């Protein structure tokens, strides 16, 4: 069939087999309008329709923002929406039923707040999330139908003021600093990974006597020197008799220098005359050359390392050289990892709606690098009772959960925390990715709980925002000085929240990496650190704070390293 403009359309409309329609063309009604309307009128109609749609969307968005701002500015205007801390025996306030839109068939679906980041993924179920109007799947705010545990559930995200990113980190740091820490003495072979609880003071001079820095000849006075026969001076033996002026004897590296010796001549710089039993130097001899004098590195009583220093293999070596058999350290905080979500596989390829668990394998080495003693991950699935039992029986200092921090039908973290009377210290952080993270404390001197979102990069954001500063203080390690290099290019920001962007170091500035979505790990796997991008973004050349990764150099930017 040929239209008025001569265009041939070959496919037919499935709703009317007698009416031709191009698979990419307009609907039949639109096609008739196209043939009947003059061009000018058609353009005017399309323009008005688009403008009306944009105007309606703008009005709706402005109204939502005004409502959100009013709730933030007056959090006490309605007690149902006021931030609260759960206490034993006190039920959580119940938000009103959420407005629902009906899909064909009458199924209610709650609409997410405009501009909210979806944190779905391993353990954070799709369908609801940060900004969801209803606290539960049915919008009631109470226990879900069929929930055997009952009790309060999480209040609506839309009515909760997220904690600013820097305030959340500062709070985690203060909580860790205020926790009691009991130092203990451990042998050197068990001290690695801890932090020093006391200053390490030298117990002896280093070196404790004058030693030879090279294999060669130790000489006294000017040359040539008469060779004193014998096996020479070896490390671990006494220096023997003093050398007379003009004498020399063979010496090994580390051997004790005889009293009144002038210098050591390296083997390659000496020329023995065996016939005359004399030694000649092939270059000028400077008094004191290649001799390590006593106390060159430190004197007894010198402060070698301050409290808070992580005990590395090099620290172990220095402590041993300085005379220590054991060190006084802060115990490593104990961490339990609870992996939530029925959709997670531990091996093989994703299949049948199941996905690989990326967080369980990642968290153990990451938390260990932060100075924690981590138990093997426990996979609880979507079992609220198993989560309750794990939280109330843990003897760890910190419990890290993965997923389940949003408000979906099987997101049990908030309801379980409320049920056991946990104190909710941080409930959502104004950061992207990672907005629905949380920090709580189990009552009765129980562990802290850091709830990580289920998406991998969002979980990393939660680690660096809440777990890292808390663990740093619990383990007795001082916070690093922030480093602020310039960014290489413009970085877009969130209108209201902080963004954490994986970056690499290039020359004298940092470059943002792609693949930085909440569910992605490709960017962070290649990163040197994460740039802290303030709301609104930054222009090229602007300095930004960098969050170091625990396996990176403390200051990779100052080492001239390029990846």
């Amino acid at each position: 069939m040929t239209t008025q403009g001569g265009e041939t359309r070959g496919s037919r409309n499935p709703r009317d087999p007698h009416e031709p329609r191009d698979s990419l063309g307009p609907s039949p009604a639109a096609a008739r309008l196209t043939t009947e309307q003059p061009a000018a009128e058609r353009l005017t109609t399309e323009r008005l329709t688009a403008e009306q749609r944009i105007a309606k969307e703008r009005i709706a968005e402005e109204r939502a923002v005004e409502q959100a701002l009013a709730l933030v500015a007056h959090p006490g205007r309605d007690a149902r929406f006021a931030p609260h801390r759960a206490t034993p025996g006190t039920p959580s306030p119940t938000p009103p039923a959420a407005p629902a839109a009906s899909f064909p068939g009458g199924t209610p679906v709650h609409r997410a707040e405009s501009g909210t980041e979806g944190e779905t993924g391993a353990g954070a179920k799709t369908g609801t999330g940060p900004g969801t109007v209803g606290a539960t799947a049915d919008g009631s705010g109470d226990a879900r139908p069929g929930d055997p545990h009952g009790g309060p559930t999480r209040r609506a995200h839309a009515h909760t003021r997220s904690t600013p990113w820097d305030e959340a980190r500062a709070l985690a740091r203060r909580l860790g600093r205020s926790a009691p820490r009991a130092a203990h003495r451990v042998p050197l072979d068990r001290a690695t990974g801890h932090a020093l609880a006391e200053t390490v003071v030298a117990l002896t001079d280093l070196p404790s006597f004058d030693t030879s820095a090279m294999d060669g000849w130790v000489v006294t006075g000017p040359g040539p020197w008469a060779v004193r026969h014998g096996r020479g001076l070896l490390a671990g033996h006494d220096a023997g008799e003093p050398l007379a002026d003009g004498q020399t004897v063979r010496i090994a590296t580390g051997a004790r220098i005889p009293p009144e010796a002038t210098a050591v001549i390296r083997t390659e710089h000496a020329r023995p005359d065996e016939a005359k039993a004399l030694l000649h130097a092939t270059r000028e001899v400077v008094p004191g050359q290649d001799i390590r004098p006593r106390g060159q590195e430190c004197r007894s009583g010198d402060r070698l390392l301050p409290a808070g220093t992580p005990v590395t293999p090099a620290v172990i070596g220095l402590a041993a050289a300085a005379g220590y058999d054991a060190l006084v350290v802060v115990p490593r905080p104990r961490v339990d990892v609870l992996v939530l979500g029925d959709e997670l596989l531990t091996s093989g390829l994703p299949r049948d709606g199941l996905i690989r668990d990326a967080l369980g394998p990642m968290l153990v080495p990451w938390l260990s690098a932060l100075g924690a003693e981590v138990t093997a991950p426990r996979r609880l699935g979507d079992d609220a009772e198993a989560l309750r039992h794990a939280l109330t029986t843990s003897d760890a200092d910190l419990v890290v959960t993965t997923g389940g921090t949003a408000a979906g039908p099987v997101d049990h973290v908030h309801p379980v925390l409320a049920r056991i009377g946990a104190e909710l210290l941080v409930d959502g952080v104004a950061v992207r990715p990672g907005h629905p993270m949380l920090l709580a404390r189990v009552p009765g001197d129980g562990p802290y709980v850091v709830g990580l979102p289920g998406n991998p990069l969002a979980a990393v954001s939660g680690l660096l925002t809440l777990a890292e500063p808390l663990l740093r203080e619990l383990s007795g390690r001082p916070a690093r000085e922030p480093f602020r290099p310039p960014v290489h290019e413009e970085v877009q920001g969130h209108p209201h929240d902080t963004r954490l962007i994986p970056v690499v170091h290039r020359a004298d500035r940092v470059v943002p990496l792609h693949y930085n979505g909440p569910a992605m790990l490709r960017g962070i796997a290649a990163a040197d650190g994460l740039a802290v991008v303030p709301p609104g973004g930054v222009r090229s050349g602007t300095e930004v704070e960098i969050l170091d990764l625990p396996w990176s150099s403390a200051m990779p930017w100052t080492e001239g390293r390029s990846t």
Side-chain angles (χ1 to χ4, degrees):
M1 176 179 179
T2 305
T3 65
Q4 182 180 7
E7 180 182 352
T8 301
R9 302 191 183 277
S11 60
R12 293 190 174 271
N13 184 351
R15 291 175 295 183
D16 185 356
H18 302 291
E19 184 171 9
R21 180 185 177 188
D22 185 90
S23 60
L24 300 178
S27 65
R32 286 193 294 270
L33 178 63
T34 301
T35 60
E36 294 171 2
Q37 274 189 310
E41 291 182 11
R42 186 168 66 252
L43 291 175
T44 301
T45 301
E46 293 174 352
R47 185 181 300 112
L48 288 175
T49 302
E51 291 176 353
Q52 289 171 354
R53 185 180 68 256
I54 293 172
K56 288 181 180 180
E57 292 175 352
R58 184 181 296 114
I59 291 172
E61 182 177 356
E62 290 175 352
R63 184 173 300 151
V65 172
E66 288 173 359
Q67 292 173 352
L69 290 176
L71 289 170
V72 172
H74 306 285
R77 68 191 303 174
D78 190 332
R80 293 172 298 175
F81 304 147
H84 70 284
R85 289 182 179 178
T87 55
T90 304
S92 301
T94 303
S102 294
F103 275 22
T107 304
V109 177
H110 300 286
R111 301 196 181 279
E113 186 180 27
S114 175
T116 339
E117 170 190 306
E119 293 292 352
T120 58
K125 311 304 175 190
T126 47
T128 56
T132 303
V133 177
T136 62
D138 62 356
S140 65
D142 292 320
R144 291 180 292 274
D147 185 349
H149 310 296
T153 60
R154 186 185 187 186
R155 63 185 182 276
H157 272 289
H159 306 300
T160 304
R161 177 183 177 271
S162 297
T163 304
W165 179 80
D166 53 349
E167 292 183 15
R169 273 179 63 86
L171 174 61
R173 188 177 297 115
R174 288 197 303 271
L175 292 172
R177 189 180 303 128
S178 63
R181 293 198 299 262
H184 61 189
R185 187 181 300 275
V186 297
L188 293 184
D189 60 356
R190 288 170 36 205
T192 303
H194 294 76
L196 295 176
E198 295 180 352
T199 300
V200 171
V201 177
L203 303 180
T204 182
D205 296 342
L206 286 180
S208 54
F209 45 81
D210 295 345
T211 61
S212 176
M214 293 288 171
D215 293 331
W217 301 82
V218 59
V219 299
T220 303
W225 300 271
V227 176
R228 192 174 73 182
H229 296 289
R231 67 174 184 174
L233 304 178
L234 303 177
H237 295 265
D238 188 77
E241 300 178 0
L243 289 174
D245 196 37
Q247 274 192 324
T248 183
V249 66
R250 280 193 173 276
I251 193 168
T253 301
R256 191 165 186 165
I257 298 292
E260 308 301 328
T262 301
V264 170
I265 302 174
R266 303 182 186 188
T267 300
E268 60 268 28
H269 299 159
R271 182 173 58 82
D273 184 345
E274 296 181 1
K276 298 181 179 179
L278 293 176
L279 180 74
H280 300 269
T282 59
R283 59 180 60 186
E284 181 183 5
V285 176
V286 178
Q289 73 181 26
D290 289 327
I291 293 177
R292 295 186 60 216
R294 176 176 181 170
Q296 181 185 47
E297 187 169 1
C298 67
R299 290 289 185 180
S300 180
D302 285 353
R303 294 163 56 92
L304 299 180
L305 296 167
T309 301
V311 180
T312 64
V315 168
I316 295 292
L318 175 60
Y324 285 85
D325 299 319
L327 291 171
V328 179
V329 298
V330 179
R332 298 178 67 184
R334 291 165 296 121
V335 178
D336 287 343
V337 176
L338 307 180
V339 180
L340 312 182
D342 289 340
E343 75 278 22
L344 302 178
L345 295 169
T346 58
S347 62
L349 295 174
R351 63 181 185 275
D352 303 327
L354 304 177
I355 60 174
R356 280 295 298 271
D357 171 30
L359 296 184
M362 180 177 71
L363 286 178
V364 172
W366 197 311
L367 292 165
S368 298
L370 292 176
E373 183 179 322
V374 191
T375 59
R378 296 171 59 187
R379 306 181 188 280
L380 304 184
D382 289 320
D383 188 334
E385 179 57 30
L387 176 60
R388 184 203 64 79
H389 182 266
L391 291 176
T392 54
T393 59
S394 173
D395 61 355
D397 300 293
L398 170 65
V399 175
V400 175
T401 65
T402 70
T405 58
V410 288
D411 288 340
H412 298 303
V413 175
H414 279 88
V416 168
L417 289 175
R419 180 185 173 197
I420 66 177
E423 184 179 15
L424 197 56
L425 302 165
V426 174
D427 187 11
V429 177
V431 65
R432 306 300 168 122
H435 172 264
M437 66 182 74
L438 64 85
L439 174 61
R441 182 73 186 269
V442 176
D445 293 327
Y448 287 103
V449 179
V450 169
L452 302 178
N455 272 323
L457 189 57
V460 170
S461 176
L463 271 178
L464 296 178
T465 301
L466 297 176
E468 189 268 347
L470 179 66
L471 287 174
R472 183 173 289 278
E473 295 296 337
L474 288 175
S475 62
R477 305 180 185 211
R480 293 172 177 171
E481 290 294 326
F483 185 71
R484 303 180 62 87
V487 291
H488 181 68
E489 58 191 57
E490 180 179 354
V491 182
Q492 290 185 344
H494 187 272
H496 311 293
D497 296 348
T498 299
R499 284 191 73 197
L500 301 182
I501 305 293
V503 294
V504 291
H505 179 240
R506 292 284 186 265
D508 60 345
R509 55 186 59 201
V510 293
V511 180
L513 291 169
H514 299 295
Y515 306 105
N516 53 29
M520 299 180 178
L521 285 174
R522 187 171 173 181
I524 191 67
D528 293 326
L530 278 86
V532 181
V533 180
V538 294
R539 295 184 176 182
S540 178
T542 304
E543 293 183 349
V544 293
E545 181 181 353
I546 300 297
L547 301 179
D548 289 322
L549 301 178
W551 50 85
S552 299
S553 169
M555 285 296 173
W557 335 104
T558 62
E559 301 298 328
R561 181 169 63 90
S562 178
T563 53

